[in-house]
Amino acid sequence: MKKLNLVLMLLGVTILSAFSVTSLEWKISDGYSIKFSTDSVSGEFEKITGTIHFHENDLANSSFNMQVDVQSIATGNFLKNSHAKGKKWFESEKYPKISFVSTKISKSTNGFIVIGNLTMKDVTKSIEIPLTFKNNVFSGKFSVNRMDYHIGSMEGMSKKVGNKIDLQIAVPVTK
C-alpha cells in the first residue's frame, strides 16, 4: 500500500510540474510604446493589440502575435501623419495593420531573441528582435529597412527620410 501511495504521489507531482512549465498568456497593459526614428522623422505608433504566450522556461511553447494600427501613427505633425498614412508610404486604408508573428524564441546573453515574420503593406520578412523581460515589461530595440517593405520611395522629399528605421518597444503585461 505504501508503494502504491508513493507511486501515486510521484505521478501527481510529475503531472502538476508539467502544468507549471506551460507558457502563460499575458495581457498587454496600458503604457506601452512603439517609437520609431529615422534620419529626419521620429514618432510612435499609439495602438497595439495582440496575444503573448510566454514562459522563460518553456520557450518552445511561447509565442508573440502582435498588430500595430497604422492609423495610430503620431509624428507630432499633422501633415507628416497624413503623408505617412497615404498611398506613397503605409497605404493605411489598404494595409491597416503592421503585424509580427513569432516563429522561434531563444535565450540570449541579455534576454531573448524573438524570430518571426514582420508584415508591412504587402511584404512579409523574417526578422530577429532582441528582447528583455524585466518587471513584467518586454523591451527591445531593432531596425528595419523601409525600402524592403515598400514604405516610401527614394524620389522627391521621400529621399530625405533614411532607409533605416530604428524601433524601440516597451510592452508592459499582466497575467
Side-chain angles (χ1 to χ4, degrees), residues 17 20 30 44 52 60 70 81 88 104 109-110 112 116 122 128 135 144:
S17 67
S20 66
D30 291 337
E44 63 185 308
I52 299 170
V70 175
N81 294 347
K88 290 185 179 180
K104 181 180 178 183
T109 306
N110 298 325
F112 305 92
D122 56 348
E128 292 185 7
N135 301 319
V144 296

Side-chain angles (χ1 to χ4, degrees), residues 154-172:
M154 289 308 294
E155 299 173 357
M157 295 299 286
S158 295
K159 65 184 172 190
K160 289 187 175 186
V161 177
N163 289 349
K164 184 176 120 183
I165 300 172
D166 295 319
L167 292 134
Q168 182 175 344
I169 59 173
V171 180

Side-chain angles (χ1 to χ4, degrees), residues 83-91 121 150-153 158:
H83 287 294
K85 296 173 192 177
K87 287 185 179 183
K88 290 185 179 180
W89 290 87
F90 283 101
E91 294 185 75
K121 291 180 72 171
H150 307 149
I151 307 296
S153 67
S158 295

Side-chain angles (χ1 to χ4, degrees), residues 61-121:
N61 290 309
S62 296
S63 64
F64 291 80
N65 185 336
M66 313 298 293
Q67 297 80 39
V68 174
D69 184 347
V70 175
Q71 286 288 333
S72 73
I73 194 167
T75 63
N77 180 303
F78 175 78
L79 287 175
K80 286 181 182 179
N81 294 347
S82 181
H83 287 294
K85 296 173 192 177
K87 287 185 179 183
K88 290 185 179 180
W89 290 87
F90 283 101
E91 294 185 75
S92 65
E93 287 187 21
K94 187 173 181 180
Y95 306 104
K97 303 285 184 195
I98 297 169
S99 68
F100 177 79
V101 178
S102 66
T103 56
K104 181 180 178 183
I105 302 170
S106 58
K107 288 190 179 190
S108 69
T109 306
N110 298 325
F112 305 92
I113 299 292
V114 181
I115 299 170
N117 294 317
L118 177 65
T119 302
M120 287 194 275
K121 291 180 72 171

